[in-house]
């Protein structure tokens, strides 16, 4: 049997007792990474979950299971029987079941399935666990923990409660495991665009904090906040305290001054880079202001955007890390990732540990695994939901205008029923 749970209840004990009657019971405990990808971030780490199962009477052995796929353990232990609830006959886990059936058939093993318990009190326990993940202290700490656990994490932009739910719930099954986003990016560009405002720090922090509240109210994943330039140092201190108190995990601020202009304009518009000394002081002030070790301040370097050269980018990166920045973001608007790769290589020669954040909007042909191999740690998909959502809505509006009715628009629409299933009941 394999378990992902960090809460053992009566339903688990009942199926364990049934399995024990079939022979010596080996239990596989899914890794933290596998559980985080499959359902939710575990409240109890894998090492402790193993101890829980080792102390259940009648369990012969407890082993690690690195992925949702059973393949590695089935090939190693060749059990006569695999026991599982019947909840994976259809739906998301069906490919995992199909693989188990195929491997068992190859050596004469069999699958035994028992009815899955849908007792409402067990669902209530899981709902309580999910609610705990949404609490500020728990949510804030998860970005650092996930980074330590996985080495590379991905974040997708969210600019409203419903886009937050899309990021929270979207999953795909690949290569014996599941893939989902680890965090959410609350972008000033997407937040401003959703409000029909220009991306020049026109939307004030009170309004932007309201967007965070809307997202946090219905989701559990860590949040990375786009802090633009951070504003005046005296103001940034209060921003840090507010974000930390809300449960945000990281703020990213860029080393520019004056009226904020989007980086994608590069040198086409006048943009002023802050001095190293001033920006270091802003970082230090932010770090002094925070109350916990969980909150992270990331320094975003605009040297490559503004064509100031690699040496300037590296000088700033080392200085900002030295000033206490918890992460460094390097940005580029070139489709060719060469300068990004060069920066990572040269930064890693001297600094092996400070996380590197990338936003591959322009250099988007590189796979996440290559970024990880080269030394990057956080990949942010900064505006794709906004950029795909607005053309779809514009197309729907044109279709109705052209046809003087809504029928031709039906095939473009998600059903209201499907949308409602994204929204929590409570």
């Amino acid at each position: 049997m394999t378990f992902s749970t960090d809460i053992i209840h009566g339903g688990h004990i009942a199926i364990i007792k049934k399995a024990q009657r079939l022979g010596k019971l080996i239990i596989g405990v899914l890794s933290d990474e596998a559980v985080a990808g499959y359902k939710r971030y575990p409240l109890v780490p894998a090492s402790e979950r193993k101890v829980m199962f080792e102390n259940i009477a009648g369990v012969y052995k407890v082993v690690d299971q690195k992925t949702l796929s059973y393949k590695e353990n089935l090939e190693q232990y060749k059990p006569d029987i695999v026991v599982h609830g019947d909840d994976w006959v259809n739906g998301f886990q069906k490919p995992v079941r199909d693989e188990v059936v195929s491997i068992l058939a190859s050596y004469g093993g069999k699958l035994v399935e028992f009815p899955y318990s849908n007792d409402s009190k067990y669902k209530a326990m899981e709902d309580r666990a999910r609610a705990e993940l949404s609490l500020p202290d728990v949510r804030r700490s998860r970005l650092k923990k996930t980074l330590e656990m996985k080495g590379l994490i991905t974040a997708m932009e969210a600019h409203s409660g419903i886009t937050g739910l899309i990021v929270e719930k979207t999953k795909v099954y690949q290569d014996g495991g599941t893939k989902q986003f680890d965090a959410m990016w609350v972008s000033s560009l997407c937040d401003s665009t959703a409000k029909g405002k220009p991306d020049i720090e026109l939307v004030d922090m009170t309004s932007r904090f309201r967007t965070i509240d809307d997202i946090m109210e219905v989701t559990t994943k860590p949040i990375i906040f786009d802090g633009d330039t951070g504003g005046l140092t005296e103001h940034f201190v209060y921003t840090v305290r507010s974000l930390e108190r809300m449960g945000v995990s990281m703020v990213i601020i860029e080393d520019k001054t004056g009226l904020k202009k989007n980086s994608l304009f590069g040198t086409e518009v006048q943009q002023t880079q802050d001095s190293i000394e001033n920006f270091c002081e802003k970082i230090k002030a932010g770090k002094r202001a925070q109350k916990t070790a969980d909150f992270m301040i990331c320094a975003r370097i605009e040297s490559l955007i503004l064509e100031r050269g690699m040496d300037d980018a590296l000088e700033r990166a080392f200085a900002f890390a030295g000033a206490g920045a918890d992460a460094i973001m390097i940005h580029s608007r070139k489709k060719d990732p060469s300068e990004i790769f060069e920066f990572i290589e040269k930064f890693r020669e001297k600094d092996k540990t400070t996380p590197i954040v990338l936003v591959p909007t322009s250099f988007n042909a590189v796979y996440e695994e290559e970024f990880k191999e080269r030394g990057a740690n956080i990949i942010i998909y900064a505006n794709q939901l906004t950029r795909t959502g607005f053309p779809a809505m514009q197309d729907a509006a044109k279709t109705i205008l052209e046809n003087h009715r809504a029928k031709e628009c039906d095939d473009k629409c998600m059903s209201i029923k499907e949308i409602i299933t994204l929204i929590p009941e409570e």
Side-chain angles (χ1 to χ4, degrees):
M1 302 185 70
T2 291
F3 283 93
S4 62
T5 188
D6 46 15
I7 303 171
I8 297 178
H9 54 61
H12 297 131
I13 298 299
I15 195 170
I16 284 171
K17 286 182 176 179
K18 290 178 182 178
Q20 287 170 345
R21 299 187 191 110
L22 302 175
K24 289 183 176 179
L25 175 59
I26 298 176
I27 287 180
V29 172
L30 279 173
S31 68
D32 292 335
E33 185 175 350
V35 175
Y38 160 54
K39 48 195 306 187
R40 60 166 171 79
Y41 189 88
L43 295 171
V44 179
S47 57
E48 292 298 314
R49 288 186 280 118
K50 281 186 71 177
V51 172
M52 288 195 308
F53 286 104
E54 286 168 346
N55 283 279
I56 295 176
V59 174
Y60 171 65
K61 184 187 290 187
V62 178
V63 299
D64 293 311
Q65 183 163 318
K66 296 176 184 176
T67 67
L68 196 56
S69 169
Y70 285 54
K71 183 177 181 181
E72 185 176 334
N73 278 345
L74 293 186
E75 291 178 345
Q76 180 175 349
Y77 299 105
K78 287 197 163 44
D80 299 305
I81 299 167
V82 169
V83 172
H84 200 283
D86 62 2
D87 55 317
W88 66 346
V89 173
N90 298 300
F92 189 71
Q93 292 189 76
K94 187 177 184 300
V96 182
R97 180 184 185 274
D98 292 344
E99 182 183 58
V100 168
V101 170
S102 175
I103 295 171
L104 288 173
S106 71
Y107 65 81
K110 68 175 183 177
L111 174 63
V112 173
E113 294 169 319
F114 294 111
Y116 184 76
S117 176
N118 284 309
D119 193 311
S120 60
K121 66 175 177 286
Y122 301 147
K123 183 179 184 301
M125 291 171 68
E126 179 62 24
D127 288 345
R128 284 200 300 273
R130 287 187 178 278
E132 186 170 337
L133 287 173
S134 69
L135 295 176
D137 286 346
V138 179
R139 191 195 292 250
R140 185 196 312 114
S141 66
R142 279 176 57 199
L143 190 72
K144 266 191 177 179
K145 290 177 180 177
T146 307
L147 195 54
E148 291 168 3
M149 183 173 72
K150 297 179 67 175
L152 180 87
I153 63 176
T154 58
M156 170 62 85
E157 68 105 340
H159 54 268
S160 63
I162 194 66
T163 55
L165 284 166
I166 290 170
V167 179
E168 177 95 0
K169 295 191 174 188
T170 302
K171 301 178 185 179
V172 296
Y173 176 83
Q174 282 182 334
D175 304 323
T178 52
K179 174 71 175 171
Q180 59 179 311
F181 296 107
D182 302 295
M184 301 178 193
W185 165 246
V186 179
S187 154
S188 67
L189 167 64
C190 298
D191 200 4
S192 300
T193 302
K195 293 173 171 63
K197 303 284 180 67
D199 182 29
I200 53 172
E201 297 183 88
L202 180 63
V203 178
D204 64 23
M205 282 298 172
T206 302
S207 178
R208 297 205 57 209
F209 290 169
R210 180 60 203 166
T211 300
I212 294 174
D213 276 336
D214 289 343
I215 294 169
M216 283 186 159
E217 194 170 3
V218 294
T219 64
T220 66
K221 292 189 175 181
I223 287 177
I224 302 172
F225 182 77
D226 180 2
D228 291 323
T229 65
L232 295 173
T233 298
E234 294 83 358
H235 295 176
F236 180 56
V237 165
Y238 285 96
T239 299
V240 166
R241 289 174 180 165
S242 297
L243 292 172
E244 184 182 32
R245 186 171 58 249
M246 293 172 77
V248 170
S249 298
M250 177 190 280
V251 61
I252 298 181
I253 54 171
E254 58 192 84
D255 59 348
K256 291 192 298 195
T257 61
L259 183 64
K260 182 261 179 84
K261 300 286 179 65
N262 192 283
S263 293
L264 294 178
F265 288 113
T267 57
E268 295 171 18
V269 297
Q270 184 65 38
Q271 303 197 61
T272 304
Q273 203 167 13
D274 201 355
S275 71
I276 293 176
E277 294 74 20
N278 285 345
F279 201 70
C280 282
E281 285 306 313
K282 186 178 290 187
I283 293 167
K284 290 175 183 177
K287 293 305 293 179
R288 287 193 299 268
Q290 68 184 71
K291 304 295 184 184
T292 71
D294 297 326
F295 188 75
M296 302 175 73
I297 296 175
C298 173
R300 168 174 161 173
I301 297 167
E302 295 288 284
S303 299
L304 302 183
I305 291 282
L306 300 176
E307 299 178 4
R308 301 282 170 80
M310 186 63 63
D311 289 343
D312 185 73
L314 290 165
E315 181 185 2
R316 287 171 175 273
F318 295 128
F320 298 160
D326 300 285
I328 296 294
M329 177 182 155
I330 186 65
H331 206 21
S332 171
R333 60 184 183 136
K334 294 181 179 178
K335 290 185 178 295
D336 182 350
S338 299
E339 64 179 8
I340 292 292
F341 292 161
E342 182 184 351
F343 175 89
I344 296 173
E345 181 182 0
K346 290 182 175 178
F347 184 75
R348 284 286 176 244
E349 286 174 1
K350 294 183 179 181
D351 188 324
K352 307 291 186 187
T353 58
T354 302
I356 294 175
V357 182
L358 302 177
V359 180
T361 304
S362 299
F363 47 99
N364 55 19
V366 183
Y367 289 102
E368 293 163 2
E369 196 57 39
E370 183 176 355
F371 283 135
K372 182 178 182 179
E373 288 171 0
R374 288 178 179 273
N377 306 100
I378 300 176
I379 307 300
I380 298 175
Y381 297 101
N383 47 42
Q384 282 77 8
L385 293 188
T386 292
R387 289 165 56 209
T388 53
F390 284 102
M393 289 187 282
Q394 192 174 52
D395 181 49
K398 282 184 177 179
T399 299
I400 291 172
L401 283 175
E402 288 169 353
N403 292 281
H404 311 284
R405 63 179 185 176
K407 184 178 187 306
E408 286 75 13
C409 201
D410 276 359
D411 291 340
K412 305 173 187 287
C413 294
M414 187 179 190
S415 73
I416 293 296
K417 184 177 180 181
E418 286 178 286
I419 293 171
I420 289 172
T421 59
L422 284 172
I423 299 172
E425 293 177 7
E426 298 181 2

